Amino acid sequence: MKRTLLLSFLLLPIVSSAAITKTLSLGSTNLEVRYLQIILNSDPYTQIASVGPGSPGQESSYFGGLTNQAVMKFQTKYAAEVLFPSGIYKPTGIVGLNTRKKLNSINANTVLAAGSLPISIVPPSIQAAISLTSSSATQSTTTYSPFYQDAVHFQKTFFANLQPIFLSISSYQVKHGDVVTIQGSGFVAQQNTIHFGNQYSMVAPGSIDGKTLRFAVPDSIPNGSYNVWIENDGGSTYKSEASNFFTITDTPSAVPTITNISPSAIQFSDKATIVITGTGFMDQGNSIYSPIGTAPNLPSKDGKTISVPLASFSNFSSIQKSSQNFKGAGMNISIVIHNSAGNTSVPGSFLITF
């Protein structure tokens, strides 16, 4: 029992800086296959397995059938980026140039568990803790503290030279006291400073996984709109051209949610239209992000529905030119809605048939 508790302290996530540089396919065996599996496992849709070999924490260096299937799902999800530009219209399972580029862009936010790292780069005290016998692990819980502190030190050291990256924020309109989550990478175990414009800042609680920061909006920061950026020993996410997208207000708007998309399956054509039902939609300025591109600045007359023709998506024309290659095929499309209140936390989806 206590041994299990001890090991749980040691599984502190570590951000990967590795990149996939080789063409990978069924039968490949090298370390980059492990990086590939870790990235695929970061998305439930492309997860290799939920338990057993290939599952999160049990990635390997062998490119087998399960990995091949997961790569094909990845290529289907990002077909407009990794397949269509090369004139390919069905997933291949081969990690070629375009697929590598997309995987590596996601890799900036991929987290490795300490157990997935070669044992040679794990601190000696952690190696010792992993090899503890059940009898030696029956000591008081105070024994766990040095190992936990060493793991935190290891994480802090590992992160020290990583440039922080700001990817998303859970809410764009909040009131004082609201808890906000920032997603990204390169965050450290301690001393992540969150800046609100150039006048206000706060030190956020430490990041356990290196990719999330959670904080309560302090009363000391006045109502207003701010450019939010992160700073730590690895650098800064500051961008001078960033707009004041984060608003502190006494009356924040609810973030958008998607409850239904109708029809759930639709034939691909320039006359096809979907209707999205949900909450928190704005009169103007609702933008949809999806594998078939972006549909920007859409209106919602009632705040509950958005009607959008497929032809409004930015990649529609390129897909239409090659649609004859898709006859009989289908593609599941996941969408996220963004407006001035925030993003939908749970994507909606519908099926396109050709």
Side-chain angles (χ1 to χ4, degrees), residues 327-346:
K327 288 184 179 179
M331 181 185 298
N332 190 61
I333 306 298
S334 295
I335 67 170
V336 170
I337 296 177
H338 165 79
N339 59 31
S340 59
N343 295 322
T344 48
S345 57
V346 179

Side-chain angles (χ1 to χ4, degrees), residues 14-20 35 104 107-108 110 112 158 162:
I14 306 298
V15 173
S16 169
S17 59
I20 299 172
Y35 300 151
N104 287 332
N107 196 20
T110 296
L112 291 171
F158 191 92
L162 290 178

Side-chain angles (χ1 to χ4, degrees), residues 105-128:
S105 72
I106 294 173
N107 196 20
N109 192 36
T110 296
V111 174
L112 291 171
S116 297
L117 294 172
I119 193 69
S120 61
I121 68 171
V122 177
S125 62
I126 294 183
Q127 295 182 38

Side-chain angles (χ1 to χ4, degrees), residues 3-18:
R3 182 183 183 187
T4 301
L5 290 173
L6 172 61
L7 295 180
S8 69
F9 281 124
L10 305 176
L11 297 179
L12 292 175
I14 306 298
V15 173
S16 169
S17 59

Side-chain angles (χ1 to χ4, degrees), residues 6-310:
L6 172 61
L7 295 180
S8 69
F9 281 124
L10 305 176
L11 297 179
L12 292 175
I14 306 298
V15 173
S16 169
S17 59
I20 299 172
T21 62
K22 304 172 183 176
T23 296
L24 305 175
S25 60
L26 196 62
S28 295
T29 305
N30 54 57
L31 186 59
E32 290 194 5
V33 174
R34 174 175 286 183
Y35 300 151
L36 167 66
Q37 292 182 355
I38 291 168
I39 300 169
L40 293 171
N41 280 339
S42 69
D43 181 346
Y45 178 72
T46 60
Q47 192 175 83
I48 295 168
S50 57
V51 295
S55 63
Q58 297 193 48
E59 294 89 355
S60 73
S61 58
Y62 176 67
F63 194 125
L66 292 178
T67 304
N68 187 69
Q69 293 175 20
V71 170
M72 293 178 72
K73 287 183 178 180
F74 181 90
Q75 291 174 327
T76 299
K77 180 173 182 178
Y78 298 106
E81 297 174 69
V82 305
L83 296 179
F84 301 163
S86 299
I88 301 172
Y89 305 101
K90 294 183 180 179
T92 64
I94 299 172
V95 181
L97 178 61
N98 289 335
T99 302
R100 288 202 306 273
K101 286 181 178 179
K102 185 62 180 178
L103 286 163
N104 287 332
S105 72
I106 294 173
N107 196 20
N109 192 36
T110 296
V111 174
L112 291 171
S116 297
L117 294 172
I119 193 69
S120 61
I121 68 171
V122 177
S125 62
I126 294 183
Q127 295 182 38
I130 293 174
S131 62
L132 284 175
T133 63
S134 298
S135 59
S136 65
T138 57
Q139 303 173 25
S140 167
T141 54
T142 57
T143 304
Y144 305 148
S145 178
F147 296 112
Y148 175 71
Q149 293 300 325
D150 195 12
V152 170
H153 175 72
F154 176 42
Q155 184 194 40
K156 184 176 180 180
T157 301
F158 191 92
F159 286 156
N161 296 318
L162 290 178
Q163 177 78 23
I165 296 173
F166 191 128
L167 293 177
S168 66
I169 195 165
S170 59
S171 299
Y172 290 80
Q173 292 188 35
V174 298
K175 61 181 183 295
H176 293 112
D178 283 352
V179 176
V180 178
T181 300
I182 294 175
Q183 299 283 350
S185 65
F187 303 149
V188 296
Q190 298 174 1
Q191 296 300 315
N192 299 282
T193 299
I194 302 177
H195 293 268
F196 301 83
N198 295 317
Q199 291 182 290
Y200 306 98
S201 65
M202 64 173 288
V203 176
S207 176
I208 294 298
D209 60 7
K211 65 176 183 177
T212 54
L213 289 175
R214 292 183 177 87
F215 67 94
V217 179
D219 292 340
S220 58
I221 301 176
N223 285 354
S225 295
Y226 300 95
N227 173 15
V228 176
W229 48 285
I230 314 299
E231 184 178 22
N232 58 32
D233 290 341
S236 166
T237 68
Y238 178 76
K239 294 182 179 180
S240 60
E241 70 275 12
S243 61
N244 294 329
F245 63 89
F246 184 78
T247 300
I248 302 175
T249 175
D250 294 331
T251 56
S253 301
V255 297
T257 62
I258 299 173
T259 57
N260 185 60
I261 298 177
S262 180
S264 57
I266 192 168
Q267 185 76 25
F268 184 84
S269 77
D270 55 4
K271 297 181 180 179
T273 297
I274 58 171
V275 177
I276 304 165
T277 303
T279 60
F281 302 156
M282 300 294 185
D283 292 342
Q284 299 288 336
N286 304 285
S287 295
I288 301 177
Y289 298 89
S290 80
I292 58 174
T294 304
N297 300 321
L298 300 168
S300 175
K301 294 181 179 180
D302 57 5
K304 299 178 181 179
T305 57
I306 298 173
S307 180
V308 52
L310 293 188

